[in-house]
Amino acid sequence: MNSKHVSSGRLTEAGHLHGVLAGCLVFLLLSVSASTAQAMSGREVYEKVHEVRSKMLDRKTEATMVLFDKGGGKRTRTLTEYAKRAEPEGYKVLVVFRSPPDLKDVGFLIHARTFAERDLWAYFPEYKRVRRIPTTSQDDSFFGSDFSYDDFGGPPNLDDYKFNILQEEIIDGRPCYKIEVTPKVRRKYTRYIAWVAKDLWVHLKIDYYQEKELYRTGAFKEIKVIEGIPTPFKLNVENRKTSHRTELTIDSIKYHTNFPDSLFTQRSLERSGK
């Protein structure tokens, strides 16, 4: 037999074997990658998000809120937010507007007995009365902004949602889990898609849907670690139906504040937290 022919055949077999091995290696790498991506469930990711948000509960925040309308006009507001963890499971939040004059001393109060059961009130100095807000209105506009009342609450009750991890993506240079979150109880949205930073366990982006229609988006930027807690300092929320947008910038924030319970009463709400 011709030695050149034999060598050629062996080379062909070797090349084929090399190709098979390479294919197996690629398959194994893809399998490892896929298993790594599925190493955490959507619920487990949100348990970490819940843990971070729970650490944020004792705080004082000074913030500026700017509302942009479709025509390019804008309105600026400033507010102070006080928050406190309420053991064993729950929280209290008081928000008071400082400006402009027509909103000065308007306030909002939450008492959450658990992460699922909450009471909400609003105070309007013009009418000198506290008005109870039904929990069915938690997804409504927060005083004309694109934020909702729920956005100013603490972490939600995870048992009220279903979580489905979709894939991993890069947002603003950070690796994220992309997760579909579906409420089990009736909400204004039927589901939302969230991008959660893997190293920080905070949202970087949220898309809210009503059935198949995207109606509200949120972006969380300028994340800084304050007292060990990752904190977005700029939040942008847009209503896609009206093209109205609200930008909230944190001017200052302090954690581990340990405010007294007397700050989170309806009387304190009427007195603008004083």
Side-chain angles (χ1 to χ4, degrees):
M1 184 179 293
N2 189 304
S3 60
K4 290 184 179 180
H5 190 71
V6 172
S7 298
S8 176
R10 288 176 178 170
L11 286 172
T12 301
E13 288 181 6
H16 176 70
L17 180 60
H18 178 75
V20 170
L21 289 173
C24 289
L25 180 59
V26 170
F27 176 77
L28 287 172
L29 288 173
L30 289 174
S31 298
V32 170
S33 177
S35 64
T36 301
Q38 296 301 321
M40 293 188 70
S41 68
R43 168 74 185 223
E44 288 169 335
V45 170
Y46 263 82
E47 286 173 354
K48 288 188 172 291
V49 173
H50 189 282
E51 183 180 342
V52 170
R53 290 190 65 181
S54 294
K55 290 178 180 178
M56 294 178 172
L57 284 175
D58 290 293
R59 67 180 184 269
K60 179 182 179 182
T61 309
E62 301 286 352
T64 300
M65 179 184 286
V66 183
L67 284 63
F68 300 87
D69 62 33
K70 187 176 181 178
K74 68 177 184 179
R75 292 171 289 162
T76 301
R77 303 169 174 181
T78 59
L79 58 88
T80 303
E81 178 200 44
Y82 309 91
K84 178 178 182 173
R85 183 190 304 274
E87 300 294 353
E89 184 187 66
Y91 56 88
K92 297 177 181 180
V93 176
L94 173 66
V95 178
V96 179
F97 284 96
R98 303 304 183 190
S99 68
D102 63 330
L103 272 180
K104 182 175 171 57
D105 295 335
V106 169
F108 170 61
L109 177 66
I110 303 176
H111 279 189
R113 294 180 294 280
T114 69
F115 292 121
E117 300 177 30
R118 299 179 292 180
D119 293 319
L120 294 75
W121 299 271
Y123 175 69
F124 299 90
E126 179 181 359
Y127 304 108
K128 292 183 170 55
R129 63 187 294 265
V130 174
R131 180 170 66 87
R132 190 181 186 90
I133 301 171
T135 53
T136 53
S137 300
Q138 62 187 337
D139 294 320
D140 290 352
S141 168
F142 181 79
F143 297 99
S145 74
D146 299 290
F147 288 89
S148 68
Y149 290 103
D150 193 50
D151 291 329
F152 283 84
N157 178 32
L158 298 183
D159 291 336
D160 289 341
Y161 299 84
K162 293 187 296 183
F163 304 93
N164 178 31
I165 189 163
L166 301 176
Q167 62 188 69
E168 296 182 23
E169 288 187 357
I170 303 295
I171 298 291
D172 294 336
R174 295 183 183 273
C176 296
Y177 286 110
K178 181 180 178 182
I179 300 173
E180 181 181 54
V181 182
T182 306
K184 298 177 183 177
V185 294
R186 183 175 179 81
R187 300 296 296 263
K188 187 173 183 178
Y189 55 87
T190 52
R191 65 188 177 98
Y192 65 81
I193 306 296
W195 286 259
V196 177
K198 294 173 67 175
D199 54 340
L200 299 174
W201 310 111
V202 295
H203 292 121
L204 297 188
K205 179 181 175 184
I206 302 181
D207 288 345
Y208 291 87
Y209 289 84
Q210 292 174 329
E211 301 303 338
K212 294 183 179 181
E213 182 181 14
L214 175 64
Y215 87 97
R216 191 167 80 119
T217 61
F220 308 82
K221 300 181 180 295
E222 296 185 18
I223 297 173
K224 305 174 185 178
V225 178
I226 306 297
E227 299 179 54
I229 301 173
T231 307
F233 268 65
K234 193 173 291 291
L235 295 78
N236 282 282
V237 179
E238 181 178 355
N239 185 317
R240 291 301 185 90
K241 292 184 176 181
T242 63
S243 297
H244 193 280
R245 180 172 65 88
T246 302
E247 179 181 278
L248 186 141
T249 302
I250 292 178
D251 301 313
S252 68
I253 190 165
K254 180 175 178 56
Y255 290 114
H256 313 300
T257 45
N258 195 29
F259 290 118
D261 287 329
S262 58
L263 178 62
F264 303 93
T265 62
Q266 293 186 40
R267 178 172 175 78
S268 177
L269 176 61
E270 293 175 329
R271 298 174 58 185
S272 307
K274 299 172 184 174

